[in-house]
Amino acid sequence: MEGRDLAVSLASGRVAIGVVSLLAPGFVGRTMTGRGGSEGGTRLFARMVGARDLGLGLGLLIALNRGAPVRGWLEASAVVDGIDASACLLARDHIRTSVFPGAVGLAAAGALLSAWLARQLDPAQSPPSATGR
């Protein structure tokens, strides 16, 4: 599978997670934390995370479709997924034990894949030299 195909899959998965989190925040909350997960604050948080994932996924898909730079979208995805993995580790006592390994693993894998794809699909450009003016 090529880097672009991986990026499309990554973005599509992020869009799917975002849509589910926005439309069924109680389900997402219960899946992550148990029965209390469908309460107001957890539903709000699930929608906020869903909106973030939907925005990052759509931004990446649109950039890929238009041939625009994707590095920023992928770097932002790497950062938020890394923070999500760390947050899961810190809140492990509040996440269902059956969900915890998958949640941490998915977030960590997303962070690593996004960071790798950012360099594969949009290599960093050297700044213009001072002598080239």
Side-chain angles (χ1 to χ4, degrees):
M1 186 176 269
E2 292 191 29
R4 187 180 192 290
D5 296 331
L6 283 171
V8 168
S9 295
L10 184 71
S12 298
R14 190 175 289 284
V15 167
I17 289 169
V19 168
V20 170
S21 296
L22 284 168
L23 297 179
F27 169 76
V28 172
R30 286 188 306 276
T31 299
M32 288 292 291
T33 64
R35 288 185 193 187
S38 60
E39 296 173 3
T42 304
R43 291 169 61 95
L44 168 66
F45 182 71
R47 282 192 173 117
M48 290 169 59
V49 171
R52 177 199 73 186
D53 282 341
L54 180 61
L56 286 170
L58 286 175
L60 179 54
L61 286 172
I62 291 167
L64 286 165
N65 188 47
R66 293 181 178 168
V70 295
R71 188 177 181 113
W73 291 107
L74 287 163
E75 288 174 337
S77 295
V79 168
V80 299
D81 285 343
I83 292 170
D84 286 352
S86 299
C88 286
L89 290 170
L90 291 171
R92 66 183 160 271
D93 294 336
H94 303 284
I95 298 174
R96 292 176 48 201
T97 56
S98 60
V99 174
F100 175 74
V104 172
L106 186 62
L112 293 171
L113 180 58
S114 294
W116 180 77
L117 285 171
R119 277 121 193 103
Q120 296 301 308
L121 297 177
D122 264 351
Q125 296 180 0
S126 300
S129 67
T131 58
R133 292 185 203 184

